Amino acid sequence: MRKVMIALVLATVGAPAMAQTVTSRAKTADYQFSYVYPAAAARIAGLKAWLDADRARMQAKTARGGTAGRRHAAEGGYPYNAYSFDKTWKVVTDTPRFLSLSGDSYNFTGGAHGMPASYGLLWDKKADRRLEPEAVFTSVAALQAATRAAYCARLKAEQVRRNEGHVSSMNTCPPVKDLTVLLGSTNGRAIDRIGLIADAYLAGSYAEGAYEVTLPVTRAIVAAVKPEYRGAFAVR
């Protein structure tokens, strides 16, 4: 049996409570694994349970993949590069109604390079449950209609800036359904900005990386929010 090294720590990085993290790490000959989430999330029992379950699921998947990858390498007579998976959750904002988190992961399965990905997560304190950020809107189509023009314009400007005056190689504006949605706040009292992330290959090449656009909440966006959540939003 291969030796597994696992560490679970509560680390303080700087003074603010938001900087505290719960970190889980594992390393074997087959794979490396890291999963981090903020202490603000650990203090909410239901959210902590979901994050711990997500961590266990992703570690088990990485372990299975690593074991199979090593076997295939041995059978094919080529060197094995250990699989790895890293996922980190951070606080976007903590308002009276919502704790909003952003997640980033990097998954390496022995190819030319790993694949990054982004995630959004919302905890509804009033209902004591986890939501996808899109779930607070009447529909994804309504959110797209309220953000499309501003999003595409800002995305194109960022593509041109990043590519030294040229439009991205993909020259496309992906739909909201393909994006990661993050809900943010400038004052910690209400959601007044929205982040839209296009992961690699959605709005540009792998080398260009992810494109993130942040939009202020407008009246049109508030109108697209479900009535039960509108009080948690504010126009900027």
Side-chain angles (χ1 to χ4, degrees):
M1 181 179 294
R2 293 187 177 88
K3 184 177 180 182
V4 181
M5 298 176 62
I6 301 176
L8 179 64
V9 299
L10 178 65
T12 302
V13 185
M18 289 297 185
Q20 295 180 344
T21 59
V22 176
T23 303
S24 178
R25 294 191 180 94
K27 184 176 182 179
T28 74
D30 291 340
Y31 74 94
Q32 297 183 53
F33 180 85
S34 174
Y35 195 100
V36 180
Y37 59 84
R43 289 191 285 270
I44 301 173
L47 180 53
K48 181 180 185 302
W50 185 88
L51 291 166
D52 287 342
D54 184 53
R55 174 194 55 76
R57 178 177 61 84
M58 294 311 303
Q59 184 174 346
K61 181 179 179 180
T62 304
R64 289 194 302 270
T67 299
R70 177 178 287 280
R71 183 177 67 251
H72 294 156
E75 293 170 351
Y78 55 85
Y80 172 66
N81 294 316
Y83 282 30
S84 67
F85 182 83
D86 301 284
K87 190 171 187 177
T88 300
W89 292 97
K90 297 178 181 178
V91 173
V92 178
T93 193
D94 191 356
T95 69
R97 180 67 186 263
F98 296 120
L99 175 64
S100 176
L101 303 182
S102 65
D104 295 288
S105 71
Y106 187 79
N107 187 26
F108 177 73
T109 56
H113 55 71
M115 274 301 297
S118 62
Y119 314 86
L121 187 156
L122 205 60
W123 187 263
D124 183 349
K125 299 176 185 179
K126 182 178 179 180
D128 197 33
R129 63 170 180 153
R130 181 183 63 87
L131 296 171
E132 297 297 327
E134 298 91 332
V136 303
F137 298 95
T138 55
S139 69
V140 172
L143 175 60
Q144 173 155 313
T147 59
R148 187 67 176 173
Y151 170 69
C152 290
R154 294 198 183 191
L155 173 63
K156 184 175 182 179
E158 177 59 20
Q159 289 171 326
V160 170
R161 186 198 68 79
R162 197 176 296 186
N163 291 281
E164 299 180 344
H166 301 283
V167 177
S168 166
S169 58
M170 296 187 70
N171 191 21
T172 184
C173 183
V176 169
K177 69 179 182 63
D178 294 339
L179 305 177
T180 297
V181 178
L182 304 177
L183 301 186
S185 174
T186 59
N187 54 28
R189 296 191 297 272
I191 302 299
D192 61 8
R193 60 184 180 181
I194 295 179
L196 299 170
I197 302 175
D199 287 333
Y201 296 123
L202 281 177
S205 66
Y206 182 87
E208 289 173 64
Y211 281 93
E212 180 172 0
V213 170
T214 300
L215 300 176
V217 167
T218 61
R219 294 186 186 279
I221 291 174
V222 172
V225 176
K226 291 177 180 176
E228 61 265 37
Y229 300 119
R230 283 180 189 163
F233 283 72
V235 173
R236 259 182 70 193

